[in-house]
Amino acid sequence: MAVRDKIRAFRHSPKKYILTIVLAIIVIILGICAYNANGNRNKIDYANSLDKIAVTVNGQKLTLEDLAFYVVYEEHEVENEAQVYNPENTNKYWNMHIDGEFIRIAARDSAMQMAIHDEIFYQMALDEGIELTDEEKEYAANTQEDFWNDLEDYGQQDNINIEREVYDEAILKIALAQKYQEIYAELNGRKKEDYNFDKKRYKKLLEENKYKINKSIWERIDMGNVSLRH
């Protein structure tokens, strides 16, 4: 049989499709391996990158240190859920894919969106000259203590190595942001919850503000392994 005839025969042979499928599978496997290898190489060492700009909100630059509270808080919340799902291997929960998104990625996005939300309301509070009362400061102090105790219970503080003052400052900032969120909601005849970071009313307000996420930094955050270890 001539070479041309052999080629023609192969084109009409089931072996051609089998070979194509095998090659496609090999390409996919190699692609996944390359992606994972590249992703692992590009992960940021959070504790040694605290001065990196993560996001800019209305001209105000926020570093990874500024966002540390949100990262640690979100990791703590998801880890609690993971403990319920599989206490023997919580990493399985972190790697789950739900509603079209990996839990690890969703947690990272939530931490960022909460930070942007609080920064916007914090800036609005400062513009209006709003301050915390002594009672509100005392409540915030209790929150600070509870948060710190939670960090120690999970051993998170040892992993991220950030001074307590950073978290304390973040909690005071959040307290002021929440206070103005309530004031803003009342001024607009709405409930405070209507302006939570995942609500439509807030998203409309968000459109009136300028923010830019530094994706080259933020998307390299290994959520679930910043203050935790899996």
Side-chain angles (χ1 to χ4, degrees), residues 27-212:
V27 169
I28 291 172
I29 292 174
L30 290 175
I32 292 173
C33 291
Y35 176 82
N36 289 336
N38 186 59
N40 289 332
R41 284 196 301 270
N42 289 331
K43 297 299 183 186
I44 274 186
D45 183 344
Y46 202 104
N48 291 316
S49 306
L50 298 179
D51 61 339
K52 302 293 185 184
I53 304 299
V55 62
T56 302
V57 182
N58 295 324
Q60 180 64 44
K61 295 179 179 179
L62 301 178
T63 65
L64 290 182
E65 183 175 63
D66 295 324
L67 269 62
F69 170 85
Y70 297 95
V71 172
V72 173
Y73 171 83
E74 192 66 17
E75 285 194 330
H76 182 79
E77 292 296 299
V78 175
E79 185 69 6
N80 282 336
E81 297 171 2
Q83 288 283 355
V84 175
Y85 178 77
N86 188 339
E88 300 301 322
N89 185 358
T90 58
N91 197 45
K92 284 188 175 181
Y93 183 79
W94 278 95
N95 290 328
M96 284 181 63
H97 193 263
I98 299 177
D99 295 331
E101 190 172 26
F102 287 104
I103 287 178
R104 191 181 302 277
I105 304 303
R108 190 180 66 197
D109 291 344
S110 292
M112 173 58 76
Q113 292 306 318
M114 284 190 291
I116 293 173
H117 168 277
D118 292 343
E119 180 63 25
I120 287 173
F121 279 108
Y122 175 72
Q123 292 177 6
M124 294 169 74
L126 293 182
D127 290 343
E128 296 297 329
I130 304 299
E131 296 180 353
L132 294 174
T133 64
D134 290 340
E135 183 179 354
E136 291 165 339
K137 290 178 181 178
E138 183 177 351
Y139 182 83
N142 292 332
T143 302
Q144 291 166 341
E145 191 64 31
D146 290 341
F147 179 76
W148 190 256
N149 289 336
D150 286 342
L151 282 187
E152 293 182 335
D153 289 343
Y154 272 78
Q156 289 174 276
Q157 176 57 23
D158 293 336
N159 292 326
I160 198 169
N161 195 30
I162 289 180
E163 297 297 327
R164 174 169 178 166
E165 289 75 14
V166 174
Y167 298 124
D168 287 349
E169 184 178 344
I171 290 171
L172 281 173
K173 183 176 178 179
I174 292 169
L176 184 58
Q178 290 182 344
K179 178 174 183 176
Y180 193 75
Q181 179 180 339
E182 186 169 6
I183 293 172
Y184 185 82
E186 290 179 357
L187 290 173
N188 287 274
R190 309 297 302 185
K191 296 180 180 179
K192 178 183 177 182
E193 292 74 18
D194 291 338
Y195 290 96
N196 287 347
F197 80 96
D198 57 346
K199 300 298 184 181
K200 290 182 179 179
R201 291 281 171 177
Y202 163 70
K203 290 180 180 178
K204 185 176 181 180
L205 172 63
L206 180 61
E207 293 175 357
E208 301 173 9
N209 292 267
K210 295 181 179 180
Y211 70 95
K212 184 176 182 181

Side-chain angles (χ1 to χ4, degrees), residues 15-32:
K15 294 180 179 179
K16 177 193 69 173
Y17 300 103
I18 295 174
L19 180 60
T20 300
I21 293 172
V22 171
L23 289 174
I25 292 173
I26 292 174
V27 169
I28 291 172
I29 292 174
L30 290 175
I32 292 173

